[in-house]
Amino acid sequence: MDEDACIDAIWARWPRLDPVDADLLRFAAEAVERHPKSAEIQWLAGSLNELAFLCGLPHPLDPLACYRNAVAIDPTHARAWVSIASWLDVHADDLAGAEAAYRAALGLDPETDAYEGLARVLAQQGRRAEAIEVLERAPRGDEERRQRLREEIERGDWE
């Protein structure tokens, strides 16, 4: 199966409401083996394995390793940078690493989730004013969610 077909097959079976299943995880791991130079497959496999991790299910691949492989293959893969940042923030408590990865993502593709993620990481470091400034620079998106985050940052909820 070629790279595009593997990507399409993973997206077609992406878990919507149910947890990720073992067959899809195996398929993603096989796709990584078949196409080791595909940043998109690395990122998708990492994302699926992260979902399994979050659901407490066995996962054959290390999500962070997949995300790092994706940016090693394609340093312009903004979604992989966001995934690295999120993992480092939430699972590794590496705020400096998360900040650097969010900034890398924003330098490539200004997406709302990266702005919000960066704002949270800055707020966790006690840098409230900088966090608010980052939110104010964010492009249009979920304004209600962004306003809630701003209020949380102003109250010091993230410190």
Side-chain angles (χ1 to χ4, degrees), residues 3 112 142:
E3 178 183 350
T112 304
D142 185 339

Side-chain angles (χ1 to χ4, degrees), residues 23-120:
D23 288 338
L24 181 54
L25 288 168
R26 270 192 300 281
F27 181 82
E30 290 167 7
V32 165
E33 288 179 22
R34 266 189 237 119
H35 305 285
K37 299 292 184 196
S38 172
E40 187 71 6
I41 288 176
Q42 291 283 345
W43 175 72
L44 286 169
S47 298
L48 284 169
N49 281 270
E50 184 172 0
L51 283 173
F53 170 81
L54 292 171
C55 292
L57 301 173
H59 48 288
L61 299 175
D62 174 4
L64 182 58
C66 290
Y67 301 146
R68 286 186 167 152
N69 289 341
V71 299
I73 295 163
D74 178 5
T76 67
H77 199 295
R79 291 177 298 173
W81 282 110
V82 170
S83 296
I84 289 169
S86 177
W87 185 275
L88 292 175
D89 174 21
V90 175
H91 304 296
D93 199 31
D94 178 358
L95 298 180
E99 178 181 348
Y102 276 128
R103 289 190 187 281
L106 288 171
L108 297 166
D109 181 19
E111 62 176 85
T112 304
D113 289 344
Y115 279 99
E116 292 173 5
L118 177 57
R120 282 190 307 272

Side-chain angles (χ1 to χ4, degrees), residues 116 135 138-149:
E116 292 173 5
L135 284 178
R140 297 179 61 101
D142 185 339
E143 298 301 324
E144 186 177 314
R145 185 176 71 192
R146 191 171 298 138
Q147 181 59 34
R148 276 194 313 272
L149 178 56

